Amino acid sequence: KQEVTQIPAALSVPEGENLVLNCSFTDSAIYNLQWFRQDPGKGLTSLLLIQSSQREQTSGRLNASLDKSSGRSTLYIAASQPGDSATYLCAVDYNAGNMLTFGGGTRLMVKP
Amino acid sequence: EAGVAQSPRYKIIEKRQSVAFWCNPISGHATLYWYQQILGQGPKLLIQFQNNGVVDDSQLPKDRFSAERLKGVDSTLKIQPAKLEDSAVYLCASSFIGASQFFGPGTRLTVL
């Protein structure tokens, strides 16, 4: 069974810290991996998409890496801000059909 | 550009009642997805349409859930009869074929 796991489930940090969110997947034969952000009462917003042939993607203060051999991806957030508080979800496309398998998410709280 | 629209935003029903959710995707997006997100979990794909055809509905509980996209644009998801465990947020997403998905705000269903 293809599963995606995110640890930790919740994280609280003071403003300004650099932090890493983790995502692991059971089958290394992935097509791509995405990181999403979800704010309470709202839908998901795509942050970064990494193709299986890539090792990392960057957007502003966000950097996502992919290590297929170990079945892991990390989302690095630099200089965290209270506005970064949200749930971060990792999703894997295993078969290029755009059918995503999501992890359970990490709920991030950045305290001023 | 208008986003994915969903209605209603909230619905409370008694168990064994019926309920329907509506989704209007972004104009031009051929692919439409319905997800179920139980509190504290990541979204789970229920069904994927391409135009008015079903691509995948392997995780749709077909004894009580049904979905249609008759004209290849709007879609409805129905639950009949509802069970307590159907309480969740139902998310609709749309995309160009093979491209990133855009999510609507979701419908929060509470089954009492």
Side-chain angles (χ1 to χ4, degrees):
Chain A
K1 183 180 178 182
Q2 295 164 332
E3 294 184 343
V4 180
T5 304
Q6 291 185 248
I7 295 173
L11 182 64
S12 180
V13 300
E15 181 177 5
E17 270 202 10
N18 302 324
L19 57 99
V20 173
L21 307 181
N22 297 295
C23 172
S24 61
F25 43 94
T26 54
D27 186 344
S28 63
I30 70 170
Y31 182 70
N32 64 44
L33 182 145
Q34 285 190 71
W35 284 92
F36 289 86
R37 169 181 173 142
Q38 185 173 30
D39 292 283
K42 297 187 178 180
L44 282 65
T45 302
S46 180
L47 298 173
L48 291 164
L49 184 150
I50 311 177
Q51 300 289 351
S52 63
S53 58
Q54 297 174 320
R55 292 298 300 266
E56 65 177 340
Q57 282 284 351
T58 299
S59 175
R61 294 183 294 108
L62 305 180
N63 175 276
S65 67
L66 175 65
D67 183 345
K68 285 199 310 177
S69 61
S70 65
R72 293 185 178 184
S73 175
T74 61
L75 178 67
Y76 175 83
I77 303 177
S80 59
Q81 303 171 358
D84 296 328
S85 298
T87 296
Y88 291 81
L89 293 153
C90 166
V92 174
D93 183 354
Y94 281 105
N95 58 10
N98 218 9
M99 290 181 284
L100 301 179
T101 300
F102 280 86
T106 294
R107 191 170 64 255
L108 174 65
M109 172 74 72
V110 181
K111 297 181 179 179
Chain B
E1 175 182 275
V4 177
Q6 291 188 246
S7 68
R9 293 295 313 277
Y10 305 92
K11 189 73 176 179
I12 300 174
I13 61 172
E14 304 266 340
K15 61 183 179 183
R16 292 188 290 273
Q17 286 186 325
S18 302
V19 64
F21 313 126
W22 173 82
C23 173
N24 179 238
I26 292 172
S27 178
H29 282 189
T31 311
L32 184 147
Y33 316 77
W34 283 103
Y35 291 86
Q36 179 192 57
Q37 186 175 24
I38 293 172
L39 185 66
Q41 299 181 18
K44 181 181 81 171
L45 179 67
L46 294 176
I47 188 167
Q48 179 182 1
F49 291 96
Q50 189 161 304
N51 297 308
N52 60 354
V54 175
V55 175
D56 186 273
D57 63 357
S58 57
Q59 299 196 91
L60 186 73
K62 298 181 187 62
D63 57 334
R64 298 183 300 106
F65 286 64
S66 64
E68 60 183 14
R69 194 184 184 200
L70 292 176
K71 297 183 179 179
V73 180
D74 294 2
S75 177
T76 57
L77 175 69
K78 297 180 182 178
I79 307 175
Q80 179 179 9
K83 293 186 176 181
L84 296 177
E85 58 261 35
D86 298 332
S87 294
V89 175
Y90 291 84
L91 295 164
C92 179
S94 70
S95 73
F96 291 114
I97 296 174
S100 292
Q101 298 178 34
F102 291 81
F103 284 78
T107 296
R108 181 177 297 278
L109 173 67
T110 301
V111 182
L112 302 176

